[in-house]
Amino acid sequence: MFTRWTKKEILTLILCFAAFFILVLATQLPGFLSPLYWSMFPVLAAFVASGPLTCLMSMKRGFGSAAALPLLWLAVYKLFGEMGMTLMWTGALAVIVLAEMVHMALGCEKLTSIRVSTVIAALTPSAAIWPLYFQKSVFLSAALEEGMSAEYVAGLDRYGNPGFFVLMIILACLTALISEKITERILKIRA
């Protein structure tokens, strides 16, 4: 059942979104330093995204709490002209929908639901790099057009394979789970 948001809850939502957005962006910025870092940035992004996600889901345990922050993040990125490749934004939407479906299926009130949904939702920023793994030639061509050096693009080419994708997803899930547990303890979240 829908309940009205208090001013404190609205402020918490705004703070959680700001933390989510800024921290995920901060994990992307060093991407120019190394093709390996860029291909694996979602591992760190999942870690920093899990805290705000856990905070919001534990505060407002109901429909939409797993999707709110990632959906806002995607909307802002699209407004800034990022996530331009179809696979990027459709992949992000698919992850958001999956996180919310799992959240609802496991029961929004349950801590287990928050734990699992947080890990899934924290994978949303990884969609920004999915074309490297699944549409490599298009992604690399776009990277060259955007002014990346041929050497950097060749480095991306080395890491753009399904094996690295699987490794990145597994590591991102692990870091998201660790961050979720840390946040749970800091906020003293109980079932």
Side-chain angles (χ1 to χ4, degrees):
M1 176 178 262
F2 179 78
T3 58
R4 288 186 142 314
W5 285 61
T6 65
K7 289 179 184 178
K8 182 180 177 184
E9 290 171 335
I10 292 169
L11 179 61
T12 301
L13 170 67
I14 293 167
L15 291 174
C16 285
F17 175 67
F20 185 95
F21 185 85
I22 291 166
L23 292 172
V24 168
L25 181 62
T27 65
Q28 293 175 319
L29 292 177
F32 71 91
L33 296 173
S34 162
L36 176 60
Y37 179 85
W38 183 241
S39 65
M40 298 298 278
F41 92 86
V43 173
L44 188 54
F47 181 82
V48 299
S50 289
L53 286 164
T54 303
C55 180
L56 184 66
M57 278 192 260
S58 64
M59 176 190 76
K60 240 4 189 181
R61 297 184 183 198
F63 176 75
S65 63
L69 295 181
L71 201 53
L72 286 170
W73 173 85
L74 178 61
V76 171
Y77 263 52
K78 285 293 287 173
L79 286 173
F80 287 140
E82 299 294 324
M83 305 293 279
M85 297 178 78
T86 304
L87 180 58
M88 292 175 176
W89 62 266
T90 57
L93 282 174
V95 171
I96 293 166
V97 168
L98 178 62
E100 191 59 45
M101 287 174 55
V102 168
H103 190 52
M104 296 301 292
L106 295 177
C108 298
E109 297 295 322
K110 296 179 181 171
L111 189 54
T112 303
S113 177
I114 293 170
R115 289 175 178 157
V116 175
S117 303
T118 293
V119 171
I120 296 168
L123 297 175
T124 303
S126 73
I129 198 76
W130 287 10
L132 173 62
Y133 301 107
F134 300 109
Q135 297 174 328
K136 187 162 63 169
S137 61
V138 174
F139 185 83
L140 296 178
S141 294
L144 283 171
E145 287 175 15
E146 290 179 13
M148 291 183 187
S149 72
E151 181 182 331
Y152 187 90
V153 172
L156 287 174
D157 188 26
R158 280 193 305 271
Y159 302 117
N161 62 63
F164 261 86
F165 177 77
V166 171
L167 177 64
M168 179 266 295
I169 293 294
I170 290 170
L171 292 174
C173 287
L174 288 173
T175 60
L177 184 60
I178 291 167
S179 178
E180 192 281 332
K181 292 288 189 187
I182 292 169
T183 305
E184 239 182 76
R185 287 188 181 185
I186 291 171
L187 298 178
K188 296 178 173 99
I189 298 170
R190 302 284 181 245

